[in-house]
Amino acid sequence: MPAIAEVRSTNASHSAPRGRDLPTCAVCADSMVAAETSAFLSDNVISYLWTCDTCGYGFVTKHAVKRLACN
Ligand SMILES: [Zn+2]
């Protein structure tokens, strides 16, 4: 018989960093929710295309990522 118990982490004080890394629209200052698309510019640089739902302004951000060495 399976134990019916929710396994939850108890670090309730840790709130999600919501909105911290998300850009805001340069035109209407609305916060972006999700990138439209993303693309690798190189091995460790990702670009994100953002489009503002409010005013339609689009822009691209670039983020450097660390390569994962899996072997
Ligand atoms: Zn906007």
Side-chain angles (χ1 to χ4, degrees), residues 25-30 32 52-57:
C25 178
V27 176
C28 68
D30 198 4
M32 302 292 112
C52 180
D53 287 335
T54 304
C55 70
Y57 176 71

